[in-house]
């Protein structure tokens, strides 16, 4: 996941990539899934769909906030 994001954003936006990866780790976690099922009463399929939507929205917002440029250094690792 990290490599794909860095490739899209470029190494100059490393701080933004790091924050996005941390945010996605919260969204894509067992705890998030269980909270939606147990606390919000969603079915497992609805909970997964909700988490996927949130992950897409977070990624789209991060990409929209990042200046467009081709990645020249894709060797950085998270």
């Amino acid at each position: 996941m990290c490599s794909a994001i860095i490739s899209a954003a470029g190494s100059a936006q490393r701080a933004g990539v790091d924050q996005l990866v941390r945010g996605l780790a919260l969204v894509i976690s067992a705890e998030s899934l269980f909270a939606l099922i147990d606390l919000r009463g969603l079915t497992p399929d609805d909970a997964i769909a909700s988490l996927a939507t949130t992950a897409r929205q977070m990624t789209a917002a991060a990409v929209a906030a990042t200046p467009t440029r081709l990645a020249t250094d894709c060797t950085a690792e998270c």
Side-chain angles (χ1 to χ4, degrees):
M1 176 171 66
C2 184
S3 296
I5 294 169
I6 288 174
S7 293
S11 60
Q13 289 84 26
R14 176 68 187 243
V17 169
D18 288 344
Q19 180 58 45
L20 176 59
V21 170
R22 287 189 297 268
L24 289 173
L26 291 172
V27 172
I28 306 169
S29 70
E31 291 85 3
S32 296
L33 183 64
F34 298 145
L36 289 174
I37 293 169
D38 294 340
L39 301 177
R40 301 300 305 161
L42 289 147
T43 66
D45 287 340
D46 288 343
I48 291 167
S50 179
L51 294 175
T53 297
T54 302
R56 278 193 300 275
Q57 291 170 342
M58 287 176 63
T59 303
V63 169
T66 302
T68 305
R69 73 175 191 76
L70 294 175
T72 57
D73 178 15
C74 297
T75 60
E77 293 185 26
C78 291

